[in-house]
Amino acid sequence: MHTSFYLTLLSSSFSTTVTSSSAPQESMENPLPTSRAEAFPAGLRVLIVDDDPTWLKILEKMLKKCSYEVTTCSLATEALDMLRGKRDRFDIVISDVNMPDMDGFKLLEQVGLEMDLPVIMMSIDGETSRVMKGVQHGACDYLLKPVRMKELRNIWQHVYRKRMHELKDIETHNIHEDTNILRNGSEDPDDRQYVAGTEMSSVRKRKDLESKEFVDHEFNDPSTVKKARVVWSVDLHQKFVNAVNQIGFDKVGPKKILDLMNVPGLTRENVASHLQKYRLYLIRLQRQNEGRACSGNLSSDFMNGENRGNNGFNSSTNIQSESELTTYTSTTENFQTQGIVPSVHISEPKKIEPVQIIGSKKVPSNDVLCASKINNAPHLSVLLSFNDKMTDIKACEPATPKHKPLLSGTPMMQFMQYPKQESCNILSEYSCLTYVDQNLDPSFHQYSSTLPAFISATCTSEKDVKDLFEMKPVLTDYRNGHFTAIPVQVKRGAVNAQDIGAGCKVAGSPSIQDCYLNDKYSQGYFPLTYEFSLNGETEADSLPEDVHLCSLQKIGSIENLGFSSAEIYQYGDSTPTTDVESNWYDSSELNGEYSYDPVEYPLIDEYLFA
Amino acid sequence: MEYSSLHRQLATMKKSFFDQGFLDEQFFQIEELQDDVSPNFVEEVVTLFFKDSLRLMGNIDHALEKFPQDFDRLDSLIHQLKGSASSIGAAKMKNECTVFRDFCDKENQEGCIRSFQKVKKEHACLRQKLENYFQLLRQVGPVAKATRSGN
């Protein structure tokens, strides 16, 4: 029976001893699955985080009256420690938005990503924008204070719903898996052979692993089917991409990828969901590329109203679009197999200007894509990742501090760290991208010779964006296809440009993915996560006017980006767009020096996780 | 059930709190939470509130003095205080917090100072009333439970 199946599943998580106190529960205690499952939703393990002691007391009492197990916490950092310390200790988290030590939204993101627990936000502030922000950050509900007990009574539904979805995923994937096995469903003969050879064993292995990982800390309940979270680390993602490339994007399928990746413990559904996100990301990129002919249009692309004449691209870049680029069709459905972002080749480093962030320019992210063989056409926007802390910002001293390059035809530059490669075109592109303002300090030109391998931009919400631009390119050893570091954090969040007046959505994964090699182009490209379209739609025509500043706010639904650990993952606070803009305008640092090596760069594009 | 005059007094007092807008629905909620496990829940919560709100108000005083133009900070502090006031249903105080917040938005320093005085006043007033209330409640003893709403 369906219900009992679910109850069994739920029971696995509720199998800790039910006590009436709010003391932390040992997850390794003798399970009492039956009683707890039967009691569900009673015994739901709730963690409340609120800095207001009065509310904490009230909520605790309310939850206890609902027969939930309550743990209280008045600091967000403490809550995270608790959550991290013992996984599966809680079923759901309720947190206030305004915490002294950490932004509630950030906590929300972290919890969602690391622990994949449902999180409910609370606040006395019920403004639509706030609520929306909560939803964007992944809150499964948003309660307004004063909270009533009846609202708390129903929070179990979020836990239940999540479990159901997980189950469904697993079931679906298992079914597909079985089907594939039966049909030996590989079209590629080589693949088929490979698959046939490894199929059974890998499938078996996966299944074993699945059940094993589900059991995890849990009790010895084999029917425990809790989904184990996969963290998509840089390395893992790179393997993924390699596998995708190897298979051929149009022939790719989760099973094939999984087999190629050969990562123990990775399940087919992990790959499937990752693939889906990857596809969406590419679609988004493609959309942004629409209408962007790389050649010659860059100038118009990057101009803003203010600076028509200054489009550096005109002078400095002959962007030639690779034929591959043109494969990006206009429909999202069709995104080509070139889904792999072609790398940008810059044959010669021309006037490489430092990357600039344009204040209100919509930066066509697809520029990067277009860049596959773009000659010094850095129309890529570098992904800016903003973080609470300004970490990983390599400083590039701005050449002209007071410049207002942002407004001058500089495409928005988003910085991503990307590995240096033999041909680091991207950076040169970027550099070109940024700023070709004639008025710019000629010192910019000095940068033509060295392309930074990485431009990492991490912006904090608190600090000025201008800090961002004290970035020095970071060279990483990309040759091996590994990055040493990918400290770029992407701000998540989508800001509707129309709403904020200047926003590129920066859809980003909290971490910048690894740069991966594109077989076709022998380039790696670094996925940037950003989205420059308004609501996902690029209006190429309006570009010149509507370049929007990429909002550094967190974008939309980046859930489960699964990037590896907190080091990579950083969630920047959202900076109000206007702030960002102004900061960016001021951040002549953008004009800063980026020394670019005239090597081919992997195309950096955002890896967008839907 | 026979209500002594004390009971009636209590009931009247409480009613007046609501009628005059000092307290709102949230106070009822708290009362409903009181049970055998926590027989003094309401008083505990109220005491906790007044103690913590003193701290918050001190922060605001400090901010008004040291950073009178830092409206973001003031906004954040009053937001906390408002949230706190909402926990026990301190309606008038909460409203004054909103007024303060508006002044913050408009960056009206003078307005902030004035409205904060009102916040403090409401705080003190409510505190007094509730102290009287609990004092009376203690006199009435456990039987007083019957006078609570929603039981």
Side-chain angles (χ1 to χ4, degrees), chain A residues 51-55 57-58 61-62 65 98 123-125 127 130 145-150, chain B residues 25-26 29-30 32-33 35 37-38 41 44-45 48-49 52 79 82-84 86-87:
Chain A
D51 64 322
D52 186 320
T54 318
W55 269 117
K57 188 177 167 82
I58 295 174
K61 183 70 182 170
M62 283 183 177
K65 281 217 152 192
N98 303 91
S123 178
I124 188 154
D125 181 358
E127 266 172 44
R130 298 290 276 177
K145 285 179 170 175
V147 175
R148 301 294 171 79
M149 192 156 106
K150 62 185 177 192
Chain B
E25 169 65 29
Q26 177 65 11
Q29 289 279 310
I30 300 187
E32 284 187 17
L33 290 175
D35 55 16
V37 175
S38 343
F41 186 72
E44 285 165 15
V45 170
L48 186 53
F49 162 71
D52 194 58
H79 185 97
K82 185 179 174 189
S84 204
S86 70
S87 70

mmCIF file of all heavy atoms in Angstrom, chain A residues 51-55 57-58 61-62 65 98 123-125 127 130 145-150, chain B residues 25-26 29-30 32-33 35 37-38 41 44-45 48-49 52 79 82-84 86-87:
data_model
loop_
_atom_site.group_PDB
_atom_site.id
_atom_site.type_symbol
_atom_site.label_atom_id
_atom_site.label_comp_id
_atom_site.label_asym_id
_atom_site.label_seq_id
_atom_site.Cartn_x
_atom_site.Cartn_y
_atom_site.Cartn_z
ATOM 1 N N ASP A 51 16.440 34.625 17.136
ATOM 2 C CA ASP A 51 17.249 35.328 18.135
ATOM 3 C C ASP A 51 16.379 35.952 19.228
ATOM 4 O O ASP A 51 16.895 36.399 20.242
ATOM 5 C CB ASP A 51 18.130 36.394 17.463
ATOM 6 C CG ASP A 51 17.304 37.487 16.822
ATOM 7 O OD1 ASP A 51 16.243 37.172 16.249
ATOM 8 O OD2 ASP A 51 17.718 38.657 16.887
ATOM 9 N N ASP A 52 15.093 35.985 19.017
ATOM 10 C CA ASP A 52 14.205 36.570 20.024
ATOM 11 C C ASP A 52 13.830 35.492 21.038
ATOM 12 O O ASP A 52 13.133 34.524 20.688
ATOM 13 C CB ASP A 52 12.958 37.116 19.323
ATOM 14 C CG ASP A 52 12.041 37.865 20.284
ATOM 15 O OD1 ASP A 52 11.857 37.420 21.432
ATOM 16 O OD2 ASP A 52 11.503 38.907 19.878
ATOM 17 N N PRO A 53 14.253 35.680 22.275
ATOM 18 C CA PRO A 53 14.009 34.608 23.247
ATOM 19 C C PRO A 53 12.528 34.398 23.551
ATOM 20 O O PRO A 53 12.103 33.278 23.847
ATOM 21 C CB PRO A 53 14.762 35.079 24.497
ATOM 22 C CG PRO A 53 14.979 36.530 24.312
ATOM 23 C CD PRO A 53 14.987 36.809 22.855
ATOM 24 N N THR A 54 11.792 35.497 23.476
ATOM 25 C CA THR A 54 10.362 35.370 23.745
ATOM 26 C C THR A 54 9.700 34.496 22.692
ATOM 27 O O THR A 54 8.940 33.570 22.992
ATOM 28 C CB THR A 54 9.690 36.760 23.785
ATOM 29 O OG1 THR A 54 10.521 37.664 24.487
ATOM 30 C CG2 THR A 54 8.326 36.688 24.424
ATOM 31 N N TRP A 55 10.017 34.780 21.445
ATOM 32 C CA TRP A 55 9.439 33.969 20.381
ATOM 33 C C TRP A 55 9.909 32.531 20.453
ATOM 34 O O TRP A 55 9.150 31.593 20.183
ATOM 35 C CB TRP A 55 9.789 34.552 19.002
ATOM 36 C CG TRP A 55 8.748 35.511 18.528
ATOM 37 C CD1 TRP A 55 8.908 36.838 18.290
ATOM 38 C CD2 TRP A 55 7.387 35.220 18.244
ATOM 39 N NE1 TRP A 55 7.730 37.389 17.890
ATOM 40 C CE2 TRP A 55 6.772 36.419 17.845
ATOM 41 C CE3 TRP A 55 6.604 34.043 18.291
ATOM 42 C CZ2 TRP A 55 5.428 36.491 17.490
ATOM 43 C CZ3 TRP A 55 5.261 34.117 17.944
ATOM 44 C CH2 TRP A 55 4.693 35.341 17.542
ATOM 45 N N LYS A 57 10.615 30.843 23.005
ATOM 46 C CA LYS A 57 9.871 30.157 24.058
ATOM 47 C C LYS A 57 8.452 29.840 23.602
ATOM 48 O O LYS A 57 7.945 28.737 23.815
ATOM 49 C CB LYS A 57 9.850 31.034 25.307
ATOM 50 C CG LYS A 57 9.281 30.350 26.536
ATOM 51 C CD LYS A 57 9.386 31.295 27.727
ATOM 52 C CE LYS A 57 8.567 30.801 28.906
ATOM 53 N NZ LYS A 57 9.261 29.770 29.696
ATOM 54 N N ILE A 58 7.848 30.803 22.973
ATOM 55 C CA ILE A 58 6.468 30.610 22.521
ATOM 56 C C ILE A 58 6.392 29.524 21.458
ATOM 57 O O ILE A 58 5.551 28.620 21.510
ATOM 58 C CB ILE A 58 5.892 31.928 21.965
ATOM 59 C CG1 ILE A 58 5.792 32.962 23.082
ATOM 60 C CG2 ILE A 58 4.530 31.703 21.331
ATOM 61 C CD1 ILE A 58 5.367 34.329 22.593
ATOM 62 N N LYS A 61 6.908 26.060 22.776
ATOM 63 C CA LYS A 61 5.706 25.560 23.448
ATOM 64 C C LYS A 61 4.653 25.148 22.446
ATOM 65 O O LYS A 61 4.009 24.109 22.573
ATOM 66 C CB LYS A 61 5.170 26.641 24.388
ATOM 67 C CG LYS A 61 3.980 26.207 25.192
ATOM 68 C CD LYS A 61 4.362 25.184 26.234
ATOM 69 C CE LYS A 61 3.134 24.723 27.000
ATOM 70 N NZ LYS A 61 3.398 23.583 27.858
ATOM 71 N N MET A 62 4.490 25.955 21.443
ATOM 72 C CA MET A 62 3.491 25.637 20.426
ATOM 73 C C MET A 62 3.811 24.311 19.754
ATOM 74 O O MET A 62 2.940 23.457 19.553
ATOM 75 C CB MET A 62 3.448 26.745 19.367
ATOM 76 C CG MET A 62 2.719 27.997 19.785
ATOM 77 S SD MET A 62 2.674 29.165 18.402
ATOM 78 C CE MET A 62 1.699 30.474 19.130
ATOM 79 N N LYS A 65 3.213 21.378 21.853
ATOM 80 C CA LYS A 65 1.789 21.074 21.935
ATOM 81 C C LYS A 65 1.311 20.317 20.708
ATOM 82 O O LYS A 65 0.290 19.637 20.753
ATOM 83 C CB LYS A 65 0.982 22.365 22.088
ATOM 84 C CG LYS A 65 0.991 22.901 23.482
ATOM 85 C CD LYS A 65 -0.348 23.510 23.878
ATOM 86 C CE LYS A 65 -0.527 23.401 25.374
ATOM 87 N NZ LYS A 65 -1.848 23.692 25.855
ATOM 88 N N ASN A 98 15.527 37.493 10.260
ATOM 89 C CA ASN A 98 16.524 38.435 10.770
ATOM 90 C C ASN A 98 17.272 37.867 11.948
ATOM 91 O O ASN A 98 16.759 37.827 13.063
ATOM 92 C CB ASN A 98 15.835 39.736 11.200
ATOM 93 C CG ASN A 98 15.066 40.343 10.052
ATOM 94 O OD1 ASN A 98 13.892 40.071 9.874
ATOM 95 N ND2 ASN A 98 15.744 41.138 9.270
ATOM 96 N N SER A 123 8.936 35.769 9.765
ATOM 97 C CA SER A 123 9.310 37.158 9.985
ATOM 98 C C SER A 123 8.081 37.959 10.352
ATOM 99 O O SER A 123 6.955 37.562 10.056
ATOM 100 C CB SER A 123 9.940 37.725 8.711
ATOM 101 O OG SER A 123 10.275 39.083 8.898
ATOM 102 N N ILE A 124 8.334 39.085 10.946
ATOM 103 C CA ILE A 124 7.219 39.974 11.208
ATOM 104 C C ILE A 124 6.936 40.775 9.949
ATOM 105 O O ILE A 124 5.869 41.357 9.777
ATOM 106 C CB ILE A 124 7.515 40.908 12.397
ATOM 107 C CG1 ILE A 124 6.254 41.677 12.744
ATOM 108 C CG2 ILE A 124 8.633 41.868 12.083
ATOM 109 C CD1 ILE A 124 6.186 42.127 14.160
ATOM 110 N N ASP A 125 7.886 40.747 9.069
ATOM 111 C CA ASP A 125 7.779 41.500 7.838
ATOM 112 C C ASP A 125 7.162 40.641 6.752
ATOM 113 O O ASP A 125 7.737 39.649 6.325
ATOM 114 C CB ASP A 125 9.193 41.940 7.426
ATOM 115 C CG ASP A 125 9.190 42.764 6.165
ATOM 116 O OD1 ASP A 125 8.105 42.964 5.574
ATOM 117 O OD2 ASP A 125 10.272 43.219 5.764
ATOM 118 N N GLU A 127 6.251 41.709 3.744
ATOM 119 C CA GLU A 127 6.291 42.330 2.417
ATOM 120 C C GLU A 127 6.500 41.292 1.335
ATOM 121 O O GLU A 127 7.303 40.373 1.491
ATOM 122 C CB GLU A 127 7.458 43.313 2.358
ATOM 123 C CG GLU A 127 7.081 44.735 2.699
ATOM 124 C CD GLU A 127 8.322 45.592 2.803
ATOM 125 O OE1 GLU A 127 9.205 45.457 1.938
ATOM 126 O OE2 GLU A 127 8.410 46.370 3.769
ATOM 127 N N ARG A 130 9.943 40.331 0.394
ATOM 128 C CA ARG A 130 10.652 39.478 1.341
ATOM 129 C C ARG A 130 10.207 38.035 1.202
ATOM 130 O O ARG A 130 11.014 37.122 1.212
ATOM 131 C CB ARG A 130 10.389 39.932 2.782
ATOM 132 C CG ARG A 130 10.859 41.321 3.073
ATOM 133 C CD ARG A 130 12.346 41.415 3.107
ATOM 134 N NE ARG A 130 12.887 41.040 4.386
ATOM 135 C CZ ARG A 130 14.189 40.986 4.658
ATOM 136 N NH1 ARG A 130 15.057 41.272 3.717
ATOM 137 N NH2 ARG A 130 14.608 40.642 5.841
ATOM 138 N N LYS A 145 4.891 36.575 11.539
ATOM 139 C CA LYS A 145 4.678 36.695 12.975
ATOM 140 C C LYS A 145 3.623 37.760 13.201
ATOM 141 O O LYS A 145 3.633 38.800 12.531
ATOM 142 C CB LYS A 145 5.988 37.115 13.640
ATOM 143 C CG LYS A 145 6.995 36.007 13.745
ATOM 144 C CD LYS A 145 8.260 36.557 14.390
ATOM 145 C CE LYS A 145 9.202 35.434 14.739
ATOM 146 N NZ LYS A 145 10.480 35.932 15.264
ATOM 147 N N PRO A 146 2.797 37.576 14.168
ATOM 148 C CA PRO A 146 2.726 36.488 15.135
ATOM 149 C C PRO A 146 2.214 35.180 14.520
ATOM 150 O O PRO A 146 1.202 35.171 13.831
ATOM 151 C CB PRO A 146 1.738 37.002 16.182
ATOM 152 C CG PRO A 146 0.918 38.028 15.486
ATOM 153 C CD PRO A 146 1.787 38.611 14.427
ATOM 154 N N VAL A 147 2.961 34.141 14.828
ATOM 155 C CA VAL A 147 2.628 32.842 14.268
ATOM 156 C C VAL A 147 1.603 32.143 15.146
ATOM 157 O O VAL A 147 1.705 32.147 16.362
ATOM 158 C CB VAL A 147 3.915 31.976 14.178
ATOM 159 C CG1 VAL A 147 3.588 30.585 13.709
ATOM 160 C CG2 VAL A 147 4.911 32.638 13.246
ATOM 161 N N ARG A 148 0.659 31.547 14.506
ATOM 162 C CA ARG A 148 -0.361 30.832 15.265
ATOM 163 C C ARG A 148 -0.023 29.362 15.343
ATOM 164 O O ARG A 148 0.642 28.817 14.467
ATOM 165 C CB ARG A 148 -1.718 30.966 14.567
ATOM 166 C CG ARG A 148 -2.175 32.378 14.403
ATOM 167 C CD ARG A 148 -2.448 33.003 15.779
ATOM 168 N NE ARG A 148 -2.696 34.421 15.691
ATOM 169 C CZ ARG A 148 -3.858 34.948 15.305
ATOM 170 N NH1 ARG A 148 -4.865 34.162 14.997
ATOM 171 N NH2 ARG A 148 -3.992 36.246 15.232
ATOM 172 N N MET A 149 -0.568 28.769 16.320
ATOM 173 C CA MET A 149 -0.253 27.353 16.504
ATOM 174 C C MET A 149 -0.785 26.522 15.352
ATOM 175 O O MET A 149 -0.172 25.551 14.931
ATOM 176 C CB MET A 149 -0.821 26.852 17.825
ATOM 177 C CG MET A 149 -0.277 25.505 18.174
ATOM 178 S SD MET A 149 -0.346 25.191 19.908
ATOM 179 C CE MET A 149 -1.691 24.054 19.956
ATOM 180 N N LYS A 150 -1.906 26.905 14.855
ATOM 181 C CA LYS A 150 -2.473 26.096 13.776
ATOM 182 C C LYS A 150 -1.575 26.102 12.552
ATOM 183 O O LYS A 150 -1.562 25.151 11.776
ATOM 184 C CB LYS A 150 -3.870 26.584 13.420
ATOM 185 C CG LYS A 150 -3.914 28.005 12.911
ATOM 186 C CD LYS A 150 -5.352 28.452 12.694
ATOM 187 C CE LYS A 150 -5.396 29.900 12.248
ATOM 188 N NZ LYS A 150 -6.753 30.440 12.308
ATOM 189 N N GLU B 25 -4.905 39.739 19.915
ATOM 190 C CA GLU B 25 -5.206 38.325 19.822
ATOM 191 C C GLU B 25 -4.053 37.418 20.256
ATOM 192 O O GLU B 25 -4.258 36.341 20.803
ATOM 193 C CB GLU B 25 -5.592 38.055 18.361
ATOM 194 C CG GLU B 25 -5.706 36.615 17.958
ATOM 195 C CD GLU B 25 -6.829 35.906 18.678
ATOM 196 O OE1 GLU B 25 -7.816 36.562 19.046
ATOM 197 O OE2 GLU B 25 -6.705 34.684 18.890
ATOM 198 N N GLN B 26 -2.864 37.881 19.993
ATOM 199 C CA GLN B 26 -1.715 37.050 20.301
ATOM 200 C C GLN B 26 -1.650 36.691 21.782
ATOM 201 O O GLN B 26 -1.202 35.611 22.147
ATOM 202 C CB GLN B 26 -0.421 37.759 19.867
ATOM 203 C CG GLN B 26 0.864 37.033 20.190
ATOM 204 C CD GLN B 26 1.038 35.712 19.456
ATOM 205 O OE1 GLN B 26 0.303 35.388 18.533
ATOM 206 N NE2 GLN B 26 2.020 34.935 19.886
ATOM 207 N N GLN B 29 -3.475 33.683 22.387
ATOM 208 C CA GLN B 29 -2.717 32.519 21.936
ATOM 209 C C GLN B 29 -1.781 32.021 23.030
ATOM 210 O O GLN B 29 -1.644 30.816 23.247
ATOM 211 C CB GLN B 29 -1.868 32.896 20.705
ATOM 212 C CG GLN B 29 -2.662 33.132 19.444
ATOM 213 C CD GLN B 29 -3.010 31.833 18.756
ATOM 214 O OE1 GLN B 29 -2.148 30.991 18.538
ATOM 215 N NE2 GLN B 29 -4.276 31.661 18.423
ATOM 216 N N ILE B 30 -1.155 32.970 23.662
ATOM 217 C CA ILE B 30 -0.209 32.592 24.704
ATOM 218 C C ILE B 30 -0.944 31.960 25.871
ATOM 219 O O ILE B 30 -0.497 30.981 26.466
ATOM 220 C CB ILE B 30 0.589 33.810 25.174
ATOM 221 C CG1 ILE B 30 1.356 34.392 24.015
ATOM 222 C CG2 ILE B 30 1.541 33.417 26.283
ATOM 223 C CD1 ILE B 30 2.292 35.473 24.405
ATOM 224 N N GLU B 32 -3.534 30.292 25.741
ATOM 225 C CA GLU B 32 -3.944 28.945 25.381
ATOM 226 C C GLU B 32 -2.812 27.949 25.505
ATOM 227 O O GLU B 32 -3.033 26.746 25.606
ATOM 228 C CB GLU B 32 -4.472 28.941 23.947
ATOM 229 C CG GLU B 32 -5.853 29.538 23.845
ATOM 230 C CD GLU B 32 -6.425 29.377 22.462
ATOM 231 O OE1 GLU B 32 -5.908 28.546 21.682
ATOM 232 O OE2 GLU B 32 -7.407 30.082 22.162
ATOM 233 N N LEU B 33 -1.625 28.448 25.452
ATOM 234 C CA LEU B 33 -0.495 27.540 25.549
ATOM 235 C C LEU B 33 -0.261 27.094 26.987
ATOM 236 O O LEU B 33 0.406 26.098 27.246
ATOM 237 C CB LEU B 33 0.772 28.210 25.008
ATOM 238 C CG LEU B 33 0.792 28.437 23.501
ATOM 239 C CD1 LEU B 33 2.040 29.216 23.109
ATOM 240 C CD2 LEU B 33 0.744 27.135 22.746
ATOM 241 N N ASP B 35 -0.605 25.344 30.269
ATOM 242 C CA ASP B 35 -1.270 24.090 30.619
ATOM 243 C C ASP B 35 -0.626 23.526 31.871
ATOM 244 O O ASP B 35 0.131 24.209 32.559
ATOM 245 C CB ASP B 35 -1.184 23.096 29.461
ATOM 246 C CG ASP B 35 0.249 22.856 29.008
ATOM 247 O OD1 ASP B 35 1.195 23.210 29.755
ATOM 248 O OD2 ASP B 35 0.438 22.340 27.895
ATOM 249 N N VAL B 37 1.640 21.363 32.101
ATOM 250 C CA VAL B 37 3.092 21.242 31.981
ATOM 251 C C VAL B 37 3.756 22.586 32.274
ATOM 252 O O VAL B 37 4.806 22.656 32.904
ATOM 253 C CB VAL B 37 3.469 20.764 30.564
ATOM 254 C CG1 VAL B 37 4.979 20.750 30.393
ATOM 255 C CG2 VAL B 37 2.892 19.389 30.289
ATOM 256 N N SER B 38 3.140 23.639 31.797
ATOM 257 C CA SER B 38 3.676 24.983 32.060
ATOM 258 C C SER B 38 2.562 25.839 32.650
ATOM 259 O O SER B 38 1.908 26.600 31.940
ATOM 260 C CB SER B 38 4.200 25.644 30.794
ATOM 261 O OG SER B 38 4.414 24.719 29.777
ATOM 262 N N PHE B 41 2.984 29.744 32.266
ATOM 263 C CA PHE B 41 3.567 30.058 30.973
ATOM 264 C C PHE B 41 3.398 31.527 30.607
ATOM 265 O O PHE B 41 4.337 32.190 30.181
ATOM 266 C CB PHE B 41 2.938 29.170 29.903
ATOM 267 C CG PHE B 41 3.581 29.322 28.555
ATOM 268 C CD1 PHE B 41 4.844 28.822 28.307
ATOM 269 C CD2 PHE B 41 2.924 29.999 27.524
ATOM 270 C CE1 PHE B 41 5.449 28.963 27.072
ATOM 271 C CE2 PHE B 41 3.516 30.144 26.284
ATOM 272 C CZ PHE B 41 4.783 29.624 26.045
ATOM 273 N N GLU B 44 5.590 33.796 32.537
ATOM 274 C CA GLU B 44 6.990 33.610 32.163
ATOM 275 C C GLU B 44 7.305 34.313 30.857
ATOM 276 O O GLU B 44 8.332 34.992 30.725
ATOM 277 C CB GLU B 44 7.301 32.112 32.028
ATOM 278 C CG GLU B 44 7.424 31.391 33.356
ATOM 279 C CD GLU B 44 7.374 29.875 33.179
ATOM 280 O OE1 GLU B 44 7.525 29.386 32.028
ATOM 281 O OE2 GLU B 44 7.185 29.177 34.186
ATOM 282 N N VAL B 45 6.431 34.120 29.924
ATOM 283 C CA VAL B 45 6.668 34.731 28.613
ATOM 284 C C VAL B 45 6.667 36.251 28.727
ATOM 285 O O VAL B 45 7.528 36.936 28.165
ATOM 286 C CB VAL B 45 5.591 34.272 27.606
ATOM 287 C CG1 VAL B 45 5.679 35.082 26.327
ATOM 288 C CG2 VAL B 45 5.749 32.797 27.290
ATOM 289 N N LEU B 48 9.769 37.468 30.326
ATOM 290 C CA LEU B 48 10.878 37.346 29.391
ATOM 291 C C LEU B 48 10.835 38.479 28.362
ATOM 292 O O LEU B 48 11.866 39.081 28.026
ATOM 293 C CB LEU B 48 10.797 35.987 28.696
ATOM 294 C CG LEU B 48 11.932 35.580 27.761
ATOM 295 C CD1 LEU B 48 13.274 35.686 28.440
ATOM 296 C CD2 LEU B 48 11.690 34.156 27.263
ATOM 297 N N PHE B 49 9.650 38.765 27.914
ATOM 298 C CA PHE B 49 9.519 39.826 26.923
ATOM 299 C C PHE B 49 9.998 41.162 27.480
ATOM 300 O O PHE B 49 10.764 41.884 26.844
ATOM 301 C CB PHE B 49 8.073 39.955 26.443
ATOM 302 C CG PHE B 49 7.799 41.272 25.778
ATOM 303 C CD1 PHE B 49 8.330 41.550 24.533
ATOM 304 C CD2 PHE B 49 7.068 42.250 26.426
ATOM 305 C CE1 PHE B 49 8.114 42.775 23.913
ATOM 306 C CE2 PHE B 49 6.842 43.483 25.809
ATOM 307 C CZ PHE B 49 7.367 43.745 24.560
ATOM 308 N N ASP B 52 13.774 41.260 27.801
ATOM 309 C CA ASP B 52 14.516 41.316 26.550
ATOM 310 C C ASP B 52 14.273 42.628 25.812
ATOM 311 O O ASP B 52 15.169 43.178 25.168
ATOM 312 C CB ASP B 52 14.135 40.130 25.662
ATOM 313 C CG ASP B 52 15.101 39.963 24.518
ATOM 314 O OD1 ASP B 52 16.305 39.803 24.779
ATOM 315 O OD2 ASP B 52 14.664 40.018 23.350
ATOM 316 N N HIS B 79 12.997 46.858 14.071
ATOM 317 C CA HIS B 79 12.384 45.663 13.516
ATOM 318 C C HIS B 79 12.415 44.537 14.544
ATOM 319 O O HIS B 79 11.435 43.816 14.743
ATOM 320 C CB HIS B 79 13.144 45.266 12.246
ATOM 321 C CG HIS B 79 12.543 44.129 11.506
ATOM 322 N ND1 HIS B 79 11.714 44.292 10.428
ATOM 323 C CD2 HIS B 79 12.650 42.797 11.692
ATOM 324 C CE1 HIS B 79 11.347 43.105 9.972
ATOM 325 N NE2 HIS B 79 11.901 42.175 10.719
ATOM 326 N N LYS B 82 9.964 45.341 17.286
ATOM 327 C CA LYS B 82 8.594 45.141 16.836
ATOM 328 C C LYS B 82 8.242 43.661 16.835
ATOM 329 O O LYS B 82 7.158 43.253 17.259
ATOM 330 C CB LYS B 82 8.432 45.726 15.434
ATOM 331 C CG LYS B 82 7.014 45.670 14.922
ATOM 332 C CD LYS B 82 6.905 46.299 13.534
ATOM 333 C CE LYS B 82 5.490 46.088 12.983
ATOM 334 N NZ LYS B 82 5.361 46.477 11.589
ATOM 335 N N GLY B 83 9.181 42.876 16.356
ATOM 336 C CA GLY B 83 8.961 41.440 16.353
ATOM 337 C C GLY B 83 8.741 40.922 17.758
ATOM 338 O O GLY B 83 7.886 40.073 18.009
ATOM 339 N N SER B 84 9.516 41.453 18.642
ATOM 340 C CA SER B 84 9.392 41.042 20.022
ATOM 341 C C SER B 84 8.046 41.436 20.604
ATOM 342 O O SER B 84 7.393 40.656 21.294
ATOM 343 C CB SER B 84 10.521 41.690 20.822
ATOM 344 O OG SER B 84 10.798 40.966 21.969
ATOM 345 N N SER B 86 5.381 41.813 19.094
ATOM 346 C CA SER B 86 4.308 41.018 18.508
ATOM 347 C C SER B 86 4.180 39.678 19.212
ATOM 348 O O SER B 86 3.142 39.037 19.127
ATOM 349 C CB SER B 86 4.577 40.790 17.018
ATOM 350 O OG SER B 86 5.672 39.910 16.841
ATOM 351 N N SER B 87 5.216 39.269 19.905
ATOM 352 C CA SER B 87 5.181 37.935 20.506
ATOM 353 C C SER B 87 4.152 37.819 21.617
ATOM 354 O O SER B 87 3.566 36.769 21.807
ATOM 355 C CB SER B 87 6.561 37.559 21.047
ATOM 356 O OG SER B 87 6.876 38.353 22.183
#
